[in-house]
Amino acid sequence: MEFLADNGCSGIAYADEPLADEAWLETYHKEEQERLEVEEKLVKKLSGSVYKWGNCSVELLHNSYECCCCSELEGCEEAMHNEEVLEDQKAADIPATKCITQHPGFNCFCLQKQSLKMSADGYKTKKIVKDKIILYWHLINCCPVSGFLRSVSYRGFTRMVYRFLGNKRIPLPACAYTAIRKTFPVSEKEEVTGYIDESD
C-alpha cells in the first residue's frame, strides 16, 4: 500500500467549509450564555440553596440536570391538569394535583414492581431484538433488580407524561427521581451517573 506524500496540502482538508459570519457567532454566543445561565441555576438548586420543594430533595439526585421541579416542566403541568385526570380526581374527591408524583398513574407506571416487569418487554432499545433479549437477561440476572426497575420506571414516567418521544431524551423532575430512587434504591455496587444530556 502506498502512502501519498504531504506535499504541503494538509491544511486544505477544511478549505471548502464555510466560515461563521457575525450573525451566526452572535446567535451562538447568545445561546451559549443562556445555556450557562440555566446550568448555573441548576447547580444552585442541586446545592439546595434555591428551592425547597415539597416532594423533592436533592439528596438522591446525581447531577444538576436532575434538579427541575415538575411545576417547571411543561409536560408535567399538562399531565397534571389533563381533563381526564381532573375528572378522575373530582370523582374520587381528591384535591387538584400539585406534584406529578400525585398523578393517578404515577404509582402504577413508576413504582409498582410487577407492573414495571410487565411493561419492560414493551420498550424498544436502540439495538436489534437479539441484543434486547440478551440485555434483558443480563439486567435481570446480573444487575441489581432495583437498577433494572429504575430504568423501566424512568421510561414509564416519560411515557405517562410525554407519550412517545422517539430518540429524544428529557430529564425527569426531581420529585420523580426522588420517589423512584427511594422505592428502588441504588446499591453500593452500581455506578450511577444520573441523567446525561446527549443533545450536544
Side-chain angles (χ1 to χ4, degrees):
M1 178 180 273
E2 289 184 18
F3 293 96
L4 299 174
D6 183 6
N7 294 336
C9 297
S10 62
I12 63 170
Y14 300 102
D16 293 333
E17 295 291 322
L19 294 175
D21 62 4
E22 289 299 319
W24 186 90
L25 285 171
E26 187 178 324
T27 301
Y28 170 78
H29 289 300
K30 181 181 174 188
E31 289 174 355
E32 183 63 11
Q33 181 63 34
E34 289 171 357
R35 186 191 68 77
L36 291 172
E37 288 171 4
V38 167
E39 187 174 316
E40 182 180 336
K41 180 180 171 185
L42 293 175
V43 168
K44 285 181 181 177
K45 286 182 182 181
L46 187 60
S47 71
S49 63
V50 176
Y51 289 107
K52 299 292 183 208
W53 303 306
N55 294 324
C56 306
S57 77
V58 294
E59 124 191 8
L60 297 176
L61 304 181
H62 297 292
N63 61 47
S64 61
Y65 288 113
E66 299 178 349
C67 290
C68 292
C69 179
C70 62
S71 64
E72 299 171 327
L73 300 174
E74 188 176 316
C76 291
E77 280 292 308
E78 289 175 17
M80 288 188 292
H81 299 101
N82 175 299
E83 189 176 318
E84 185 179 348
V85 169
L86 294 174
E87 287 175 9
D88 289 348
Q89 290 174 326
K90 186 176 180 181
D93 201 28
I94 299 172
T97 302
K98 294 182 180 176
C99 177
I100 196 67
T101 59
Q102 298 166 342
H103 185 283
F106 184 78
N107 284 332
C108 177
F109 291 122
C110 303
L111 302 180
Q112 292 179 359
K113 186 187 290 188
Q114 295 306 317
S115 178
L116 293 170
K117 286 181 179 181
M118 291 297 293
S119 64
D121 289 334
Y123 292 119
K124 293 181 180 178
T125 61
K126 293 180 181 178
K127 296 189 176 192
I128 61 174
V129 174
K130 182 181 176 185
D131 288 345
K132 182 180 176 185
I133 294 167
I134 292 170
L135 174 67
Y136 183 77
W137 181 88
H138 177 75
L139 285 170
I140 289 294
N141 294 299
C142 302
C143 294
V145 173
S146 61
F148 171 72
L149 293 173
R150 270 194 320 276
S151 68
V152 175
S153 183
Y154 299 153
R155 292 181 84 172
F157 177 87
T158 302
R159 196 166 199 185
M160 177 186 82
V161 173
Y162 300 102
R163 301 292 179 220
F164 297 99
L165 292 175
N167 290 330
K168 186 177 177 184
R169 296 182 69 235
I170 297 177
L172 278 57
C175 54
Y177 282 120
T178 299
I180 292 167
R181 290 174 182 161
K182 279 183 178 178
T183 306
F184 309 112
V186 177
S187 73
E188 292 178 17
K189 296 178 185 178
E190 289 180 273
E191 283 186 36
V192 180
T193 59
Y195 176 82
I196 298 172
D197 185 11
E198 295 176 346
S199 63
D200 296 335

